[in-house]
């Protein structure tokens, strides 16, 4: 009998013992989070901006997709960033972002993902970037959160090792709460890729419970909502 | 350092903790701040209680069919490309991890915060095997530099002030002394970033393991768990059998309550989902992923009808912060990986007789049960463990102090049969103790009564006469109240 089967046998025997419940729990309560199913996009965006600000994220507004390259250049200049790592878009084309940054004489880290052997150098080059730009697969208004799926063209390190991170999301991928966002993503990305939910910049409260940002991950986190006609 | 209590020195250690006024100040400061955040975050989330109930039901269901879910989890993790090892005890888990590290010819191992790896005493085993082990959670890094064990499951360095940490970093990292949290954090970031980029193996714990998809969820604020599971070539996750939940859709109920109770946030900064090693074309992520599923006494807890509830614990740490005993004595007094109320339950079951005294380290005030996000009835389980321990021990083995308290209670109970005498004695005591009373409290008492106030406890000042409002009727006696039906709830039981 393998160790696993032995464990399952132990667990099965243990489960045969009766359970003494502490007290009856409300049986019929609603299991779903309350969420504003009919909330308008604008309301969600404003809720997102409020919550994102509360976790010390910096919301740069709602902009038309064609204005995003200029916004990325403006941010890079404000931060005095020289090296920028740009992932692949999910719904948006990020080539114009790359071109705009290069035209502004900034160094864009090439995402050469053809050969797996290149992984360590690429990983290290991403870690050297002053700013990274990615698109989120979903955003959550009630907590100011992004769900970012790591892919070969948009590695997980992009939202982790650079000093600052700009996350762009399409306004129609903004969900009211966690439950709806997880349901909308479905199980596939969780099984096939690495998914990170990100709520504000990296932080610690390990010294006298005082909050300090950027302990391991990005110290500053920026967001732009993309929506046509803005 | 050892994961379990090495001796039953709880009383001595707790005495030291209580006598350390500086420690108490630090604990009051940190736990008080945490409780303020928690109260605020609960107040702004009206669905908090319904989410707690939902999470509780999911845990009851998951633990009730743990056998099925473990099979499903293992199959799905393996289908995703992870290697799964089931360890019956700490020794088996350690041996497996050491073998993986040796096979990877790893020199440097980075660790995310994981109480389960503390429980199995992984660090010394890896060091004996020749690997350098670096804790990367800031609090864990601090206590590792001091050669200590964490004193809290969420805030490992809660017992240290910023000045203590400033001196430590000046000494160990060679930076100029500062007590600025930002500068100290920045120094740790720089040092640890270099270590991350050169680490061969990353080890973390697991908060939830989703059976349906074979996905591990790691919850954290710093990003060190993400780095540990993303940068090194080999990743090892260590989880207790109780971490499994059935479905991906179950997770949101836990996420809605966990950070709100653990840290007072709506959601932690990172929730990381990992299902397997990196794909062929991926630029990062581990090339090999191992999941160690640990029993180590948990199936015995499952078999106990009362103790089973303790397996619902999310390790949010809130019961520690709210516990009047923990707040007075600190985590190190428990001399166990798991301190505080939940530690007093799990430690005797994971570490055996050496932790047998811990269930007695509680006033049974119930604050832990009230704050627990999955409503674990901690006082009830503690009482159960006390009875279990009591049945094993002859009375003479009870701590001297406990015997004394018990005898005093028996004496008081005898006296209480004569209410008039009791009232008379109370009035007499009120007169004698009046010089010791301040702001309605006795903070110091003479003679044998001084034992009560000796350890910083106070006592409400006694009144020589019962206060009655002018013209107020005397309170009805219980017998009268019952006759009128006033004491019957909702007036139903006639
Ligand atoms: S027992 Fe409850 S309050 Fe204590 S750590 Fe576990 S989940 Fe948190």
């Amino acid at each position: 009998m393998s160790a696993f089967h032995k464990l399952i046998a132990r667990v099965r025997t243990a489960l045969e013992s009766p359970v003494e419940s502490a007290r009856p729990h409300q049986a019929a309560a609603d299991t779903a989070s309350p969420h504003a199913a009919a909330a308008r996009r604008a309301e969600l965006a404003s809720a997102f901006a409020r919550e994102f600000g509360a976790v010390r994220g910096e919301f740069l507004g709602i902009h038309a997709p064609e204005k995003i390259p200029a916004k990325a250049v403006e941010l890079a200049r404000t931060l005095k960033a020289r090296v920028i790592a740009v992932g692949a878009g999910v719904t948006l084309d990020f080539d114009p972002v790359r071109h705009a940054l290069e035209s502004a004489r900034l160094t864009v880290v090439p995402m050469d993902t053809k050969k797996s052997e290149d992984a360590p150098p690429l990983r290290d080059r991403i870690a050297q970037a002053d700013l990274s730009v990615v698109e989120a697969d979903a955003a959550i208004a009630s907590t100011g959160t992004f769900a970012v799926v790591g892919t070969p063209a948009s590695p997980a390190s992009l939202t982790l090792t650079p000093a600052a991170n700009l996350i762009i999301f399409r306004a129609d991928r903004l969900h009211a709460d966690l439950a709806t966002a997880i349901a909308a993503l479905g199980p596939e990305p969780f099984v096939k890729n690495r998914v990170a939910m990100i709520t504000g910049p990296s932080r610690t409260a390990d010294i006298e419970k005082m909050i300090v940002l950027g302990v391991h991950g990005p110290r500053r986190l920026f967001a732009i909502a993309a929506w046509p006609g803005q | 350092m050892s994961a379990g209590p090495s001796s039953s020195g709880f009383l001595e250690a707790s005495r030291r903790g209580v006598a350390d006024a500086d420690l108490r100040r630090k604990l009051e400061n940190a736990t008080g701040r945490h409780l303020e955040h928690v109260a605020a975050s609960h107040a702004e989330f009206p669905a908090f209680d319904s989410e707690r109930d939902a999470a509780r039901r999911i845990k009851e269901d998951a633990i009730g069919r743990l056998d099925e879910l473990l099979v499903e989890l293992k199959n799905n993790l393996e289908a995703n490309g992870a290697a799964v090892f089931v360890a019956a005890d700490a020794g088996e888990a350690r041996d497996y991890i050491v073998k993986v590290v040796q096979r990877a010819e790893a020199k440097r191992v980075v660790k995310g915060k994981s109480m389960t790896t503390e429980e199995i005493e992984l660090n010394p085993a890896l060091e004996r095997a020749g690997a350098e082990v670096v804790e990367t959670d800031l609090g864990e890094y601090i206590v590792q530099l001091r050669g200590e064990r964490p004193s809290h499951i969420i805030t490992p360095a809660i017992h240290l002030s910023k000045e203590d940490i400033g001196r430590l970093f000046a000494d160990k990292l060679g930076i100029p002394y500062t007590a600025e949290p930002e500068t100290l954090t920045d120094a740790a970031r720089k040092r640890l970033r270099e270590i991350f980029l050169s680490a061969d193996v990353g080890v973390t714990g697991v908060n939830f393991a989703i059976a349906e998809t074979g996905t591990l969820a790691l919850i954290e604020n710093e990003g060190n768990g993400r780095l540990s599971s993303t940068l090194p070539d080999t990743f090892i996750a260590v989880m207790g059998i109780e971490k499994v939940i059935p479905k991906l859709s179950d997770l949101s109920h836990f996420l809605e309550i966990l950070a709100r109770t653990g840290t007072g946030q709506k959601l932690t900064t990172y929730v990381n989902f990992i299902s397997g090693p990196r794909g062929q074309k991926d630029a990062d992520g581990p090339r090999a992923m191992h999941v160690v599923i640990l029993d180590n006494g948990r199936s015995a807890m499952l078999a106990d009808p009362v103790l089973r509830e303790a397996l619902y614990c999310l390790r949010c740490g809130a019961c520690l912060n709210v516990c009047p005993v923990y707040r007075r004595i600190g985590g190190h007094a428990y001399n166990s990986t798991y301190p505080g109320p939940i530690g007093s339950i799990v430690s005797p079951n994971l570490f055996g007789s050496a932790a047998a005294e811990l269930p007695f380290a509680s006033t049974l005030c119930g604050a832990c049960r009230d704050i627990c996000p999955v409503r674990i009835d901690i006082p009830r389980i503690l009482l159960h463990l006390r009875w279990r321990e009591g049945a094993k021990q002859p009375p003479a083995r009870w701590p001297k102090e406990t015997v004394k308290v018990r005898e005093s209670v028996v004496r008081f109970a005898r006296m209480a049969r004569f209410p008039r005498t009791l009232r008379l004695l109370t009035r007499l005591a009120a007169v004698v103790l009046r010089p010791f009373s301040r702001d309605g409290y006795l903070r110091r008492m003479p003679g044998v009564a001084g034992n009560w106030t000796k350890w910083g406890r106070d006592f409400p000042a006694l009144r020589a006469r019962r206060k009655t409002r002018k013209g107020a009727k005397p309170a009805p006696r219980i017998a009268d109240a019952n006759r009128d039906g006033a004491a019957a709830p909702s007036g139903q039981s006639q």
Side-chain angles (χ1 to χ4, degrees), chain B residues 71 88 95 149 172 191 219 228 278 293 336 352 403 485 492:
Chain B
V71 173
D95 293 348
R149 78 159 88 231
K172 302 276 180 178
R191 186 63 59 98
I219 293 172
S228 302
R278 72 159 81 162
I293 302 179
S336 168
V403 174
Q492 287 165 2

Side-chain angles (χ1 to χ4, degrees), chain B residues 151-174:
Chain B
S151 68
H152 191 286
I153 57 181
I154 298 293
T155 322
I158 198 168
H159 58 293
L160 299 174
S161 66
K162 51 190 192 308
E163 290 78 16
D164 295 333
I165 298 165
R167 281 189 289 274
L168 176 76
F169 277 22
D171 179 32
K172 302 276 180 178
L173 305 186

Side-chain angles (χ1 to χ4, degrees), chain A residues 10 12 19 26 31 33 51 123 157 159 190 194-195 197 199 202-204 206 208 214 216-217 219, chain B residues 33 51 57 67 136 139 186 189 193 221-222 226 229 231 253 266 269 271 273 275 284 295 308:
Chain A
R10 278 202 301 281
R12 267 192 194 137
V19 190
Q26 299 163 23
T31 54
S33 295
E51 295 304 329
R123 183 198 78 166
S157 317
T159 53
F190 291 92
R194 297 166 76 76
V195 180
M197 287 195 176
T199 310
S202 150
R203 70 191 55 215
T204 183
D206 273 345
E208 289 199 5
H216 287 294
R219 200 164 283 150
Chain B
R33 213 170 285 180
E51 289 291 1
R57 279 197 300 277
D67 49 349
T136 59
D186 200 44
R189 176 189 168 108
R193 180 55 73 85
N221 275 314
E222 296 191 0
R226 275 191 85 192
S229 59
L231 298 185
H253 300 292
K266 288 185 180 167
T269 305
V271 182
F273 297 88
S275 297
D284 55 18
D295 180 350
R308 181 181 291 188

Side-chain angles (χ1 to χ4, degrees), chain B residues 143-464:
Chain B
V143 293
Q144 189 186 35
L145 286 178
R146 281 173 63 99
E148 281 177 347
R149 78 159 88 231
S151 68
H152 191 286
I153 57 181
I154 298 293
T155 322
I158 198 168
H159 58 293
L160 299 174
S161 66
K162 51 190 192 308
E163 290 78 16
D164 295 333
I165 298 165
R167 281 189 289 274
L168 176 76
F169 277 22
D171 179 32
K172 302 276 180 178
L173 305 186
I175 62 163
Y177 170 81
T178 171
E180 273 294 310
E182 283 82 9
T183 318
L184 294 169
T185 305
D186 200 44
R189 176 189 168 108
K190 284 199 186 98
R191 186 63 59 98
L192 290 169
R193 180 55 73 85
E194 284 163 25
I195 291 171
F196 272 122
L197 288 168
S198 59
D200 310 292
V201 174
V203 182
T204 71
V206 173
N207 293 89
F208 300 97
I210 303 156
E212 172 189 52
T213 52
T215 304
L216 308 180
L218 270 64
I219 293 172
E220 52 153 350
N221 275 314
E222 296 191 0
N224 64 310
R226 275 191 85 192
L227 286 163
S228 302
S229 59
T230 304
L231 298 185
D233 267 348
T234 302
F235 168 54
I236 306 169
V238 188
M239 58 171 274
I241 55 171
E242 79 283 13
K243 299 286 182 187
V244 63
I245 58 169
K247 297 190 299 276
L248 182 64
S249 58
D250 293 330
L251 189 69
S252 67
H253 300 292
F254 293 100
L255 296 181
E256 293 284 16
I257 57 171
L258 184 52
R260 282 188 166 93
T261 312
T263 53
Q265 295 167 278
K266 288 185 180 167
L267 191 61
T268 48
T269 305
Y270 299 112
V271 182
N272 311 307
F273 297 88
I274 307 158
S275 297
R278 72 159 81 162
Q280 281 282 308
K281 292 183 182 156
D282 280 324
D284 55 18
R287 290 173 203 277
M289 172 169 158
H290 299 258
V291 182
V292 178
I293 302 179
L294 179 71
D295 180 350
N296 203 29
R298 288 167 174 80
S299 57
M301 288 171 72
L302 185 68
D304 185 308
V306 177
L307 263 179
R308 181 181 291 188
E309 196 186 352
L311 294 174
Y312 306 160
C313 174
L314 310 179
R315 303 276 189 268
C316 74
C319 56
L320 280 68
N321 292 349
V322 85
C323 174
V325 176
Y326 177 88
R327 290 172 72 146
R328 294 268 157 153
I329 64 174
H332 286 154
Y334 293 80
N335 197 20
S336 168
T337 303
Y338 302 105
I342 189 65
S344 300
I345 291 171
V346 298
S347 302
N349 291 286
L350 302 183
F351 308 119
S353 60
E357 277 180 332
L358 295 186
F360 297 87
S362 169
T363 61
L364 304 178
C365 70
C368 47
R369 177 186 48 214
D370 295 344
I371 203 166
C372 177
V374 279
R375 302 187 192 278
I376 298 175
D377 195 342
I378 295 174
R380 172 175 175 265
I381 306 175
L382 288 170
L383 275 175
H384 170 71
L385 288 173
R386 288 181 186 187
W387 281 113
R388 208 174 72 173
E389 189 55 25
K392 275 192 263 167
Q393 306 279 353
R397 291 283 308 277
W398 283 47
K400 220 167 51 203
E401 283 77 357
T402 315
V403 174
K404 271 195 198 160
V405 170
R406 212 163 161 258
E407 284 167 0
S408 320
V409 171
V410 169
R411 272 201 296 274
F412 178 79
R414 274 195 207 123
M415 214 174 357
R417 282 195 226 141
F418 307 98
R420 280 205 187 128
T421 322
L422 189 65
R423 265 201 298 274
L424 194 71
L425 286 172
T426 310
R427 277 181 207 161
L428 206 65
V431 174
V432 172
L433 293 173
R434 191 172 293 151
F436 298 91
S437 133
R438 201 160 25 96
D439 310 330
Y441 282 94
L442 295 162
R443 299 189 206 276
R444 199 163 51 83
M445 289 197 265
V448 69
N451 283 333
W452 178 267
T453 47
K454 193 158 71 180
W455 304 110
R457 280 179 298 205
D458 48 30
F459 196 83
L462 301 170
R463 287 204 199 108

